[in-house]
Amino acid sequence: MSLKGLIQEMRGELGSISRKGFGYGRTRSQRVVQDTCVPVDAFKQSCWASMPPELLRDVLMRIEASEHTWPCRKNVVACAGVCRNWREIVKEIVKVPEVSSKLTFPISLKQPGPRGSLVQCYIMRNRSNQTYYLYLGLNQAASNDDGKFLLAAKRFRRPTCTDYIISLNSEDVSRGCNTYIGKLRSNFLGTKFTVYDAQATNPGAQVTRTRSSRLLSLKQVSPRVPSGNFPVAHISYELNVLGSRGPRRMHCVMDAIPASAVEPGGTAPTQTELIHSNLENFPSFSFFRSKSIRSESLPSSHKEGLLVLKNKAPRWHEQLQCWCLNFNGRVTVASVKNFQLVAAPENGPAGPEHENVILQFGKVGKDVFTMDYQYPISAFQAFTICLSSFDTKIACE
């Protein structure tokens, strides 16, 4: 049999596996790529189990190279779920989004986006249950029936702050779900936000110790359960004390990304493994209730050398009588929530790299918003920044 014939036969068998093991016969809200191994007895008993490693790698490389977009890319995920050997080969073949511009596994959501091009996504808002869903756009227009589910967030209002719990599971966005990957917390006014990651972005990250995390440490639970929240970004909105007209002005300090990341040859930290929490045996523990529920602010001395994102200055359109930004057709409805973020220069004049839009967010329907991002931030970081724009900010408008 020719190599082309082998690939076609493999795709046929992978199609049935991906439908059974990865949930691609379900409704759109239930489509979540699970980064787990799926035992497949049929494959173990077939010719694939005894295929020479060199030929197997060649076949998997061709499949990965040919399946550029979703939903066809589910075949690549199915290959990783066959067995441990296949999984390791696929993980070596699949490149990070920075290089490939593709989102394949859940860990891709924690890795920086591609350089020089924007990943086009959109956010669906459910007003009834205060839940937000992030999808990867599969065409130029955000559609209710088209998109690859990526993340979900649920808003929890507290007496002195607001929490947005973020999960990989669209059906379970609770405080104790085992697919929790981070959260966004605001202050009472909704002007300052802190983004927390469930796991460290880099070895030097400092965990925020909360009352619940101290309880977990005393109980000596499994090390796979995150024992705290790692601050990865601080978002602030300027107060509009004079009541002047204009768009919101925001600053985002990325705690884990150096300012040099936007320069030619610069790099940003990249997570390589996604650690899932498992709270089934500890239902009474919560990771989100701390003694002090104030939104933490980053000292100005600690901002040095870190990437700071700021609003791209809009222009006033005399005929339309509104502030305008060029979203290249990705935003169609005027809203105070719309924004574009660029890197703020550390010292001196801004260079060409400070003109590139790193994140843009805007309204296209009553409850539909586009979200486009690129290197050096990840989909998770971009999603949390956009979530902060949904919060009511009376003092900023």
Side-chain angles (χ1 to χ4, degrees), residues 57-285:
R57 177 179 291 272
D58 192 18
V59 171
L60 293 178
M61 288 180 65
R62 289 173 181 253
I63 290 178
E64 196 280 332
S66 62
E67 311 294 9
H68 297 287
T69 59
W70 291 93
C72 295
R73 199 152 177 82
K74 67 180 182 290
N75 291 330
V76 179
V77 180
C79 288
V82 171
C83 63
R84 187 180 299 275
N85 184 34
W86 283 45
R87 181 183 182 84
E88 294 303 319
I89 296 176
V90 173
K91 287 173 65 176
E92 292 178 9
I93 294 173
V94 174
K95 304 301 181 183
V96 295
E98 176 189 353
V99 178
S100 65
S101 302
K102 301 172 186 175
L103 301 178
T104 306
F105 301 112
I107 187 58
S108 302
L109 304 176
K110 292 288 193 75
Q111 297 172 336
R115 293 179 184 263
S117 63
L118 293 168
V119 177
Q120 295 185 344
C121 308
Y122 64 94
I123 298 174
M124 298 286 293
R125 174 176 59 183
N126 188 327
R127 294 173 182 263
S128 62
N129 59 6
Q130 294 291 293
T131 306
Y132 305 83
Y133 302 95
L134 176 66
Y135 295 92
L136 177 66
L138 302 185
N139 53 38
Q140 292 295 323
S143 170
N144 292 346
D145 300 321
D146 193 9
K148 173 70 186 72
F149 171 78
L150 300 177
L151 291 170
K154 187 173 180 63
R155 184 175 184 265
F156 292 89
R157 181 65 184 173
R158 307 190 185 284
T160 57
C161 69
T162 299
D163 281 348
Y164 290 83
I165 308 304
I166 303 171
S167 170
L168 291 168
N169 190 341
S170 62
E171 301 296 328
D172 186 3
V173 196
S174 62
R175 291 173 292 177
C177 67
N178 62 357
T179 52
Y180 162 76
I181 63 169
K183 70 171 181 177
L184 174 73
R185 167 164 290 183
S186 78
N187 63 355
F188 177 74
L189 294 176
T191 57
K192 294 183 183 296
F193 296 79
T194 303
V195 180
Y196 295 96
D197 197 330
Q199 64 188 80
T201 304
N202 53 59
Q206 297 295 321
V207 65
T208 296
R209 304 294 291 176
T210 64
R211 176 177 176 270
S212 56
S213 64
R214 287 194 294 269
L215 283 173
L216 288 170
S217 296
L218 291 174
K219 293 293 184 179
Q220 295 181 347
V221 298
S222 168
R224 291 180 61 84
V225 179
S227 59
N229 298 291
F230 297 87
V232 294
H234 289 77
I235 308 165
S236 62
Y237 289 81
E238 293 185 16
L239 296 176
N240 188 0
V241 293
L242 299 179
S244 58
R245 296 177 63 189
R248 296 170 177 170
R249 284 180 286 185
M250 60 190 294
H251 285 78
C252 303
V253 181
M254 311 305 294
D255 298 14
I257 304 178
S260 60
V262 298
E263 300 175 358
T267 59
T270 302
Q271 295 187 22
T272 58
E273 183 180 1
L274 190 65
I275 302 176
H276 295 283
S277 61
N278 186 358
L279 305 183
E280 295 179 356
N281 297 326
F282 310 96
S284 62
F285 293 154

